[in-house]
Amino acid sequence: MSALANHAFAKMNGIGNEIVVVDLRDSRAAVTPEDARAVASPAGVPYDQLMVLQPARLQGTEAFIHIYNSDGSEAGACGNGMRCVVRRLFEKTGQTAVTFETRAGLLNCWQGPAPDLYTVDMGAPKFGWQDIPLAEEFRDTRYIELQVGPIDAPLLHSPSVVSMGNPHAIFWVDDVNAYDIERFGPLLENHPIFPERANITLAHIVDRDHITIRTWERGAGLTRACGSAACATAVAAARLKRANRTVEIALPGGKLSIEWRERDDHVLMTGTADFEYEGRFDPALFASVA
Ligand SMILES: N[C@@H](CCC[C@H](N)C(=O)O)C(=O)O
């Protein structure tokens, strides 16, 4: 029987990024990719990311968080999901700061700078081709040689690539809505240059303090917001000296403030998180899952 059968969940969203939060800290049972896919099925609780809290493995951390995409794959980081987890936890416990462990490392999170805002320290970006990872050596990842040329749309080329705990490619464009992202997103996500696939973002630099993005997410498709893509875009734009180290990123679902902190290279992401409803998973969902 799945660890999720009959288990409580909270449906939330981080500026439109659909998130389901499950607290399995009192259980040793693991969630499988099949479980994650069953939850994402139309009869389940459709989501972009499923955040599963498991018992902490390190002293000083609240939990280990497994992050599943709706296709059942596991991600290293999910900025919007982290804010949802944090809001849920803080509302129940009165805490205002916490450290979680994820596959991407330790993430410090806190409430603020206003009561309805949550900040996640997403750690330091990585720019090395092996860290992102890319399938072949690129000495300079500020731009890499890669292009996709839909016949009926402007050419997309020379993305910046960066790891924010997960792989990101950012294509700089004049208009993020001028491209059929649902058509070329899957092609680029699965391009052989990205051995672990990649999140694909279209970014328009409005001015040094403002950037607009749309993201096709690895394992989840087109979403209304991707927090780590916002971080990756902010860092890539600053690295190209086309934006300041603190910027506002506009996504289809809302806005995020991103600061690439000088003193330790860490990226801080600030935004809201919204609770929608809670419930229990119908065991029938997992009937066909071994
Ligand atoms: N929506 C997320 C990113 C989730 C992970 C991503 N799809 C991946 O597999 O890399 C965010 O808010 O960061």
Side-chain angles (χ1 to χ4, degrees):
M1 177 62 87
S2 164
L4 297 183
N6 272 317
H7 205 284
F9 67 83
K11 173 67 183 61
M12 304 186 71
N13 78 80
I15 56 166
N17 190 177
E18 305 295 344
I19 304 293
V20 170
V21 180
V22 179
D23 190 348
L24 280 181
R25 277 178 296 169
D26 57 1
S27 156
R28 289 187 177 277
V31 169
T32 64
E34 291 75 24
D35 290 334
R37 279 195 290 272
V39 173
S41 67
V45 188
Y47 66 86
D48 301 319
Q49 275 80 42
L50 171 67
M51 312 290 288
V52 182
L53 280 66
Q54 305 256 209
R57 307 188 308 188
L58 297 174
Q59 222 179 356
T61 61
E62 184 73 31
F64 186 99
I65 303 189
H66 285 280
I67 302 163
Y68 295 91
N69 290 310
S70 51
D71 73 351
S73 61
E74 246 194 278
C78 176
N80 291 324
M82 291 307 299
R83 293 198 315 282
C84 292
V85 168
V86 164
R87 174 173 178 171
R88 183 89 178 145
L89 180 77
F90 289 179
E91 283 182 350
K92 285 187 168 198
T93 64
Q95 285 164 275
T96 55
V98 69
T99 302
F100 288 111
E101 188 186 3
T102 69
R103 279 161 54 124
L106 297 185
L107 298 182
N108 293 321
C109 315
W110 59 92
Q111 189 170 15
D116 64 333
L117 293 176
Y118 301 88
T119 299
V120 181
D121 178 344
M122 299 282 284
K126 291 185 185 148
F127 303 115
W129 69 274
Q130 286 141 316
D131 294 320
I132 292 169
L134 301 176
E136 60 187 76
E137 180 175 351
F138 283 89
R139 281 166 180 268
D140 185 352
T141 52
R142 286 176 300 178
Y143 292 114
I144 65 164
E145 258 174 64
L146 177 69
Q147 66 179 42
V148 6
I151 297 156
D152 52 353
L155 189 73
L156 281 169
H157 63 90
S158 313
S160 300
V161 285
V162 51
S163 169
M164 261 329 304
N166 44 19
H168 289 270
I170 301 112
F171 288 86
W172 307 103
V173 298
D174 289 334
D175 178 358
V176 298
N177 295 310
Y179 300 83
D180 186 357
I181 197 167
E182 286 178 273
R183 185 147 66 96
F184 67 76
L187 301 176
L188 283 167
E189 174 192 356
N190 294 291
H191 192 286
I193 197 68
F194 303 118
E196 295 179 11
R197 301 190 284 159
N199 297 285
I200 307 299
T201 291
L202 300 179
H204 168 59
I205 300 177
V206 179
D207 59 38
R208 294 192 63 81
D209 302 315
H210 299 89
I211 304 176
T212 301
I213 69 171
R214 273 176 94 201
T215 300
W216 174 269
E217 282 196 34
R218 176 178 71 164
L222 184 61
T223 61
R224 289 181 56 71
C226 178
S228 53
C231 296
T233 303
V235 161
R239 205 170 165 229
L240 291 168
K241 310 235 176 299
R242 294 183 62 192
N244 295 324
R245 288 181 74 108
T246 298
V247 288
E248 186 180 85
I249 307 277
L251 307 97
K255 289 180 178 165
L256 292 172
S257 299
I258 310 292
E259 177 191 356
W260 187 14
R261 200 162 55 186
E262 294 262 21
R263 91 173 136 79
D264 58 2
D265 213 31
H266 282 205
V267 182
L268 307 186
M269 178 208 57
T270 301
T272 55
D274 289 308
F275 172 78
E276 293 178 12
Y277 58 91
E278 56 193 0
R280 284 188 181 276
F281 292 117
D282 181 349
L285 269 182
F286 310 98
S288 60
V289 175

